[in-house]
Amino acid sequence: MPAPERIPSRSLTDTDLLTLLTEGTLTVLGQVGGASNAVLHCTVAYEGEERTCAYKPVAGEQPLWDFPDGTLAQREVAAYEISRATGWDLVPPTVLREGPYGEGMCQLWIDAPGPTESDDGGPPLLALVEGEEPGDGWKAVGFADVGEGRTALLVHADDPRLRRLAVLDAVINNGDRKGGHLLSAPGGRLYGIDHGVTFNADDKLRTLLWGWAGEPLTDEALRVLGLLATDLAPGSALATRMAELITRAELEALRERVAGLVRSAVHPQPSGQWPPIPWPPV
């Protein structure tokens, strides 16, 4: 489908955007093709403000064997809540609300190029390169089949924004971090989208961002994780909110993952129990 039209508008705070997404009138413009679950491209309007957004109704979710039915929208909201708590704001404002097709996730639409492009003259986030070493400014993910019996090295940028996202994915146990879920927005902002397959109590981490696997976490990441552990303590506002969105077992597993990252002080490595990279990767 064509890219959404840019709507001139004043700058809104995240709180304003959450109100707009929650209270605004949703108008469906079309359906986003190629998604495994129903994704509707919409506008949302409230008190003279209008934005484009993605609306994913629960009724359009495909059942998964390892996740409770009808919970993916809640997990998208839960990922936003954790992202917001870190202060990194890597997930666009996201709410759970009623819409034209019932309850669903509503998320601010980010108008940005894909991970192999750039609109500001900078390098892309992902690339395929010749040779066996990633080169300066890149981290190796693994070799990819590019056809005709040839392989190329899949790399991602050695970018502090991506590194924060890798930490966030480890926290929320993201089972589907594809390249197409990385959006480099104008102004240098990086966003991750599509977080329905998250927060499982079992280890499900599958991602393209393995370039830092086994390396020490940054001081910043350890500080943020320490604060997040406190924020998730039983009885806290964040823990109460998360209990509305994920199961008790999943909330306890979330706390354990954060504590484990603080103890180890390193980026996680693939478990070896299943393919560590989602398919298709982009």
Side-chain angles (χ1 to χ4, degrees), residues 12-13 17 24 27 53 62 77 133 137 141 149 157 227 240-241 248 269 281:
L12 298 179
T13 66
L17 288 168
T27 301
C53 63
Q62 297 295 317
V77 178
E133 297 296 330
V141 179
L227 293 172
T240 300
R241 176 58 173 150
R248 181 180 300 179
Q269 300 187 68

Side-chain angles (χ1 to χ4, degrees), residues 60-83:
E61 295 179 5
Q62 297 295 317
L64 298 171
W65 69 269
D66 51 351
F67 285 83
D69 291 350
T71 66
L72 304 191
Q74 294 170 217
R75 295 167 193 278
E76 297 248 24
V77 178
Y80 168 72
E81 296 287 358
I82 294 298
S83 169

Side-chain angles (χ1 to χ4, degrees), residues 88 90 123 125 137 139 156-168 188-190 209 212 218 220-221 267:
W88 289 334
L90 293 166
L125 299 175
K139 305 292 286 187
H156 65 67
D158 188 5
D159 185 314
R161 303 170 303 165
L162 280 182
R163 191 166 190 172
R164 290 171 182 157
L165 190 59
V167 174
L168 177 67
R189 292 291 302 273
L190 175 74
L209 303 180
W212 297 282
T218 65
E220 178 202 35
H267 286 269

Side-chain angles (χ1 to χ4, degrees), residues 17-195:
L17 288 168
L18 292 174
T19 300
L20 171 65
L21 291 169
T22 303
E23 304 293 339
T25 300
L26 276 177
T27 301
V28 177
L29 303 178
Q31 184 167 356
V32 178
S36 56
N37 299 295
V39 183
L40 302 177
H41 172 216
C42 303
T43 60
V44 59
Y46 181 73
E47 295 187 345
E49 291 292 336
E50 184 176 88
R51 296 292 189 277
T52 49
C53 63
Y55 162 51
K56 299 182 182 180
V58 172
E61 295 179 5
Q62 297 295 317
L64 298 171
W65 69 269
D66 51 351
F67 285 83
D69 291 350
T71 66
L72 304 191
Q74 294 170 217
R75 295 167 193 278
E76 297 248 24
V77 178
Y80 168 72
E81 296 287 358
I82 294 298
S83 169
R84 193 181 190 191
T86 65
W88 289 334
D89 294 325
L90 293 166
V91 179
T94 312
V95 302
L96 198 66
R97 61 161 292 168
E98 286 294 322
Y101 299 100
E103 185 180 59
M105 180 279 282
C106 187
Q107 183 177 83
L108 185 70
W109 188 286
I110 302 301
D111 191 6
T116 58
E117 306 172 66
S118 174
D119 65 355
D120 59 5
L125 299 175
L126 296 172
L128 287 168
V129 299
E130 300 292 337
E132 298 185 357
E133 297 296 330
D136 292 342
W138 297 97
K139 305 292 286 187
V141 179
F143 289 97
D145 184 353
V146 294
E148 299 180 353
R150 297 174 53 247
T151 60
L153 185 63
L154 177 63
V155 297
H156 65 67
D158 188 5
D159 185 314
R161 303 170 303 165
L162 280 182
R163 191 166 190 172
R164 290 171 182 157
L165 190 59
V167 174
L168 177 67
D169 282 342
V171 168
I172 67 175
N173 197 16
N174 192 350
D176 195 32
R177 174 60 73 208
K178 294 183 173 74
H181 301 164
L182 306 174
L183 301 178
S184 186
R189 292 291 302 273
L190 175 74
Y191 291 101
I193 61 170
D194 285 354
H195 296 105

Side-chain angles (χ1 to χ4, degrees), residues 66-68 75 171-173 198-204 232 239 242-258:
D66 51 351
F67 285 83
R75 295 167 193 278
V171 168
I172 67 175
N173 197 16
T198 50
F199 295 102
N200 199 296
D202 298 326
D203 181 10
K204 297 284 185 180
L232 286 168
M242 295 301 292
E244 298 170 350
L245 299 168
I246 60 177
T247 69
R248 181 180 300 179
E250 289 167 342
L251 176 54
E252 186 56 37
L254 169 62
R255 292 190 180 109
E256 291 175 1
R257 285 194 300 275
V258 174

